[in-house]
Amino acid sequence: MRPFRTRGPLADPEALIRHVYAYAAYRLGDAHDAEDLTSEVFERALRYQRTYDPAKGEPVAWLLGIARRCADDALARRGRELPEQAETWDGRSLEDDTVRRLTLRSALAQLSDRDRELIALRYGGDLTAAQIGSVLDAQPNAVEVALHRALARLRHILESEEAEPARTSSAGRL
């Protein structure tokens, strides 16, 4: 008879791979780089799985903590440039989609590193505030407040950029 074993942090790899890849794609933009980063994260996770402590959070938070460090390293090697967004098509015209992406990219570039990281963990990694708190070693309500403020800053930047072309075009008609 085999002794009873608890499930390790990598017991459900398919779901974890999706989360890590989504986060990596959001942070790095390039699909190939995101695949490489995902592989690197799981390689490190396998090597250090004995260090995983379930009392400190869920496996996805542990893996995204590893992914954050790997992404930071990859971005440092790449320079300070922001990632390209993954290619998707939702039925809008190519021109509208391109303008929307460039506007969002420009607005994100104006945010602090911390704000971009919070948005990447929430929307790229699809984590809850509690899970983000585990990754960042913060209280969930502090994460919610910080994320709310980051989104408010992003919204303000986007609204300012949206109003700017209207002022420029109306000034040109005078």
Side-chain angles (χ1 to χ4, degrees):
M1 229 185 211
R2 289 185 174 170
F4 176 74
R5 287 187 173 177
T6 58
R7 293 178 56 148
L10 304 174
D12 184 13
E14 286 146 15
L16 296 170
I17 289 169
R18 283 193 300 276
H19 279 285
V20 171
Y21 178 81
Y23 171 79
Y26 191 89
R27 284 288 309 274
L28 302 178
D30 182 74
H32 298 293
D33 289 346
E35 289 171 5
D36 290 345
L37 188 127
T38 302
S39 295
E40 183 180 349
V41 167
F42 279 88
E43 178 185 326
R44 287 185 185 187
L46 282 170
R47 193 175 324 134
Y48 299 109
Q49 68 182 329
R50 288 186 205 107
T51 65
Y52 170 69
D53 181 1
K56 291 184 178 178
E58 300 173 38
V60 69
W62 177 65
L63 286 169
L64 286 176
I66 296 170
R68 284 182 65 228
R69 289 185 292 280
C70 292
D72 288 346
D73 292 346
L75 290 171
R77 285 189 301 268
R78 194 191 274 183
R80 183 90 170 114
E81 69 186 66
L82 277 178
E84 295 287 328
Q85 295 299 317
E87 293 298 319
T88 59
W89 188 70
D90 60 4
R92 290 185 258 199
S93 77
L94 182 58
E95 180 181 345
D96 290 343
D97 190 50
T98 302
V99 168
R100 182 182 58 82
R101 285 173 186 252
L102 290 173
T103 302
L104 181 59
R105 183 176 181 177
S106 172
L108 285 168
Q110 296 175 50
L111 294 175
S112 69
D113 289 340
R114 173 89 170 159
D115 287 351
R116 282 196 306 267
E117 181 67 23
L118 285 167
I119 291 169
L121 287 168
R122 174 62 190 102
Y123 299 102
D126 196 30
L127 296 182
T128 65
Q131 292 169 322
I132 294 171
S134 293
V135 172
L136 300 178
D137 195 28
Q139 294 296 317
N141 64 339
V143 169
E144 289 172 354
V145 169
L147 186 57
H148 175 76
R149 290 178 179 166
L151 291 172
R153 284 187 281 273
L154 180 61
R155 197 173 301 111
H156 176 73
I157 293 167
L158 289 170
E159 288 169 356
S160 297
E161 288 182 2
E162 192 174 282
E164 187 64 34
R167 281 188 293 234
T168 305
S169 64
S170 65
R173 286 184 276 183
L174 293 176

